[in-house]
Amino acid sequence: MRLTLIQGDITTQEVDAIVNAANSRMRGGGGVDGAIHAAGGRAILDDCVQRFPHGLPTGQAGWTTAGELPADWVIHVVGPNWNAGQRDPSLLAACYRNALAVADELSAQTMAIPAVSAGIYGWPLEDAARIAVETVRSTPSKVEEARFVLFSKEIHAAFEAAAAE
Ligand code: AR6
């Protein structure tokens, strides 16, 4: 697997699947979740309601259509909320591992991934970057390119540093 890091907006990525940092209600929200629902249109929410009537637990992953986005699928993961006291690193690692497993189920060859839990959920950036990079690197999968799409210069730099370790 090729691991790549870019600074940018995940909603514009031309990949098979993009990963969303959702919440366990799975009905949209702010941050990257809000951006994905806004750009992909109503079809994503409709699919969330149908496929996840009871939401999705923290650490798990599930897919929906990507609606009007260039990608074919959105793989939703629910990161742990550091600010609410969910600070178990294995839950954050599980998000990336489970996202890759869902990508394999979908036969997705390219995927774009944001910095799960590192925004509104408040996971410390350097630690979030290290867990993300280490987990994606060490998880066996048929995905050919895992592209981290980082929204700011600061987040991009943290991931570059983690990847260089
Ligand atoms: N493309 C790429 N990354 C983005 C984009 C974008 N368009 N927009 C934001 N980011 P966050 P979380 C970055 O807060 O911490 C939502 O309300 C952002 O800079 O989106 O897991 C959900 O519904 C940060 O680096 O997700 C949940 O309630 C990263 O994406 C809650 O927020 C993740 O930040 C999830 O919080």
Side-chain angles (χ1 to χ4, degrees), residues 27-165:
R27 298 295 180 266
V32 72
D33 193 10
I36 287 171
H37 278 271
R42 176 81 203 190
I44 299 178
L45 182 60
D46 289 345
D47 218 13
C48 280
V49 170
Q50 202 186 340
R51 296 178 49 80
F52 304 97
H54 308 295
L56 193 64
T58 302
Q60 295 201 10
W63 62 271
T64 65
T65 176
E68 292 158 34
L69 294 171
D72 293 329
W73 300 285
V74 175
I75 299 174
H76 304 263
V77 300
V78 182
N81 186 344
W82 175 280
N83 291 331
Q86 294 181 316
R87 299 183 178 185
D88 177 356
S90 70
L91 275 177
L92 184 54
C95 290
Y96 294 106
R97 255 199 326 275
N98 289 326
L100 285 162
V102 172
D104 276 352
E105 254 175 61
L106 297 167
S107 299
Q109 294 181 340
T110 54
M111 70 193 292
I113 314 171
V116 177
S117 292
I120 292 164
Y121 279 177
W123 201 287
L125 186 52
E126 279 171 25
D127 197 47
R130 191 182 48 75
I131 292 167
V133 168
E134 273 180 11
T135 307
V136 170
R137 267 191 187 148
S138 63
T139 302
S141 137
K142 288 179 290 208
V143 170
E144 285 169 10
E145 183 192 358
R147 183 187 306 166
F148 281 106
V149 181
L150 295 324
F151 208 42
S152 72
K153 209 171 169 178
E154 186 197 2
I155 301 163
H156 184 253
F159 273 69
E160 287 280 10
E165 267 177 26

